[in-house]
Coordinates of all heavy atoms in Angstrom, one line a residue:
G1 N 0.8 -1.2 0.0 CA 0.0 0.0 0.0 C 0.8 1.3 0.0 O 0.4 2.3 -0.4
Q2 N 2.1 1.2 0.4 CA 3.0 2.3 0.5 C 3.4 2.8 -0.9 O 3.9 3.9 -1.0 CB 4.2 2.0 1.3 CG 4.0 1.5 2.7 CD 3.6 2.6 3.7 OE1 4.4 3.3 4.1 NE2 2.3 2.6 4.0
V3 N 3.2 2.0 -1.9 CA 3.7 2.3 -3.3 C 2.5 2.5 -4.2 O 2.7 2.7 -5.4 CB 4.7 1.3 -3.8 CG1 5.9 1.2 -2.9 CG2 4.0 -0.1 -4.0
I4 N 1.3 2.5 -3.7 CA 0.1 2.6 -4.6 C -0.4 4.0 -4.5 O -0.7 4.5 -3.4 CB -1.0 1.6 -4.2 CG1 -0.5 0.2 -4.4 CG2 -2.3 1.8 -5.0 CD1 -1.5 -0.9 -4.0
P5 N -0.6 4.7 -5.7 CA -1.1 6.1 -5.7 C -2.6 6.0 -5.2 O -3.2 5.0 -5.3 CB -1.0 6.5 -7.1 CG -0.1 5.5 -7.8 CD -0.2 4.2 -7.0
P6 N -3.1 7.1 -4.7 CA -2.6 8.5 -4.8 C -1.7 8.9 -3.6 O -0.9 9.8 -3.7 CB -3.8 9.4 -4.9 CG -4.8 8.6 -4.1 CD -4.6 7.2 -4.3
I7 N -1.8 8.2 -2.4 CA -1.2 8.7 -1.2 C 0.2 8.1 -1.1 O 1.1 8.8 -0.6 CB -2.1 8.4 0.0 CG1 -3.4 9.2 -0.2 CG2 -1.4 8.9 1.3 CD1 -4.4 8.9 0.9
M8 N 0.4 6.9 -1.4 CA 1.7 6.2 -1.3 C 2.4 6.4 0.0 O 3.6 6.7 0.1 CB 2.6 6.8 -2.4 CG 2.2 6.5 -3.9 SD 3.1 7.4 -5.1 CE 4.7 6.8 -4.8
G9 N 1.7 6.2 1.1 CA 2.3 6.3 2.4 C 2.8 7.7 2.7 O 3.7 7.9 3.5
A10 N 2.3 8.7 2.0 CA 2.6 10.1 2.2 C 4.0 10.5 1.5 O 4.4 11.6 1.5 CB 2.6 10.5 3.6
A11 N 4.7 9.5 1.0 CA 6.1 9.8 0.5 C 6.0 10.5 -0.9 O 6.9 11.2 -1.3 CB 6.9 8.5 0.3
A12 N 4.8 10.4 -1.6 CA 4.7 11.1 -2.8 C 4.8 12.6 -2.6 O 5.4 13.3 -3.5 CB 3.4 10.8 -3.5
F13 N 4.3 13.1 -1.5 CA 4.4 14.6 -1.3 C 5.8 15.0 -0.9 O 6.3 16.0 -1.3 CB 3.5 14.9 -0.1 CG 2.1 14.3 -0.2 CD1 1.6 13.4 0.7 CD2 1.3 14.7 -1.3 CE1 0.4 12.8 0.5 CE2 0.0 14.2 -1.4 CZ -0.4 13.2 -0.5
L14 N 6.5 14.1 -0.2 CA 7.9 14.4 0.1 C 8.7 14.3 -1.2 O 9.6 15.2 -1.4 CB 8.5 13.4 1.1 CG 7.8 13.3 2.4 CD1 8.3 12.1 3.2 CD2 8.2 14.6 3.2
M15 N 8.4 13.4 -2.1 CA 9.1 13.3 -3.4 C 8.9 14.5 -4.2 O 9.8 15.0 -4.9 CB 8.7 12.0 -4.1 CG 9.7 11.5 -5.2 SD 9.1 10.0 -6.0 CE 9.1 8.9 -4.6
A16 N 7.7 15.0 -4.2 CA 7.4 16.2 -5.0 C 8.3 17.4 -4.5 O 8.8 18.2 -5.3 CB 6.0 16.6 -4.9
D17 N 8.5 17.5 -3.2 CA 9.3 18.5 -2.6 C 10.8 18.3 -3.0 O 11.5 19.3 -3.3 CB 9.2 18.5 -1.1 CG 10.0 19.7 -0.4 OD1 9.6 20.8 -0.6 OD2 11.0 19.4 0.2
F18 N 11.3 17.1 -3.0 CA 12.7 16.8 -3.2 C 13.0 17.0 -4.7 O 14.1 17.5 -5.1 CB 13.1 15.4 -2.8 CG 13.4 15.3 -1.3 CD1 12.7 14.6 -0.5 CD2 14.5 16.0 -0.8 CE1 12.9 14.5 0.9 CE2 14.8 15.9 0.6 CZ 14.0 15.2 1.4
T19 N 12.1 16.5 -5.6 CA 12.4 16.5 -7.0 C 12.0 17.8 -7.7 O 12.4 18.1 -8.8 CB 11.7 15.3 -7.7 OG1 10.3 15.4 -7.5 CG2 12.2 14.0 -7.1
G20 N 11.0 18.5 -7.1 CA 10.5 19.7 -7.8 C 9.5 19.3 -8.9 O 9.0 20.2 -9.6
L21 N 9.1 18.1 -8.9 CA 8.1 17.6 -9.9 C 6.7 17.8 -9.3 O 6.5 17.7 -8.1 CB 8.3 16.2 -10.3 CG 9.6 15.9 -11.0 CD1 9.9 14.4 -11.1 CD2 9.7 16.6 -12.4
P22 N 5.7 18.0 -10.2 CA 4.3 18.1 -9.7 C 3.9 16.8 -9.0 O 4.3 15.7 -9.4 CB 3.4 18.4 -10.9 CG 4.4 18.9 -11.9 CD 5.7 18.3 -11.6
Y23 N 3.0 16.9 -8.0 CA 2.6 15.7 -7.3 C 1.9 14.7 -8.2 O 2.1 13.5 -8.1 CB 1.6 16.1 -6.1 CG 0.8 15.0 -5.6 CD1 1.4 14.0 -4.8 CD2 -0.5 14.8 -6.0 CE1 0.6 13.0 -4.3 CE2 -1.3 13.8 -5.6 CZ -0.7 12.8 -4.7 OH -1.4 11.8 -4.3
L24 N 1.0 15.2 -9.1 CA 0.3 14.3 -10.0 C 1.2 13.6 -10.9 O 0.9 12.5 -11.3 CB -0.8 15.1 -10.8 CG -2.0 15.6 -10.0 CD1 -3.0 16.4 -10.9 CD2 -2.7 14.4 -9.4
T25 N 2.3 14.2 -11.3 CA 3.3 13.5 -12.2 C 3.9 12.3 -11.4 O 4.0 11.2 -12.0 CB 4.4 14.5 -12.5 OG1 3.9 15.6 -13.3 CG2 5.5 13.8 -13.4
I26 N 4.2 12.5 -10.1 CA 4.7 11.4 -9.3 C 3.7 10.3 -9.1 O 4.0 9.1 -9.3 CB 5.3 11.9 -8.0 CG1 6.5 12.8 -8.3 CG2 5.6 10.8 -7.0 CD1 6.9 13.6 -7.1
A27 N 2.5 10.7 -8.8 CA 1.4 9.7 -8.5 C 1.1 8.9 -9.8 O 0.9 7.7 -9.8 CB 0.2 10.4 -8.0
G28 N 1.1 9.6 -11.0 CA 0.8 8.9 -12.2 C 2.0 8.0 -12.6 O 1.7 6.9 -13.1
A29 N 3.2 8.4 -12.3 CA 4.3 7.6 -12.7 C 4.4 6.3 -11.8 O 4.8 5.2 -12.3 CB 5.6 8.3 -12.5

C-alpha cells in the first residue's frame, strides 16, 4: 500500500518537494 497512488504512504508529497516535480506527475508515474 505504500507504493500505490494516490497517497503512497505520504512519500509522494515528500518526493514532490525533493524533485520539484508536480505531485500528480509522481502519482501517475
Side-chain angles (χ1 to χ4, degrees):
Q2 306 282 285
V3 300
I4 295 180
I7 300 177
M8 294 172 60
F13 311 116
L14 297 169
M15 199 178 298
D17 182 73
F18 278 115
T19 63
L21 297 171
Y23 163 78
L24 287 180
T25 299
I26 293 171

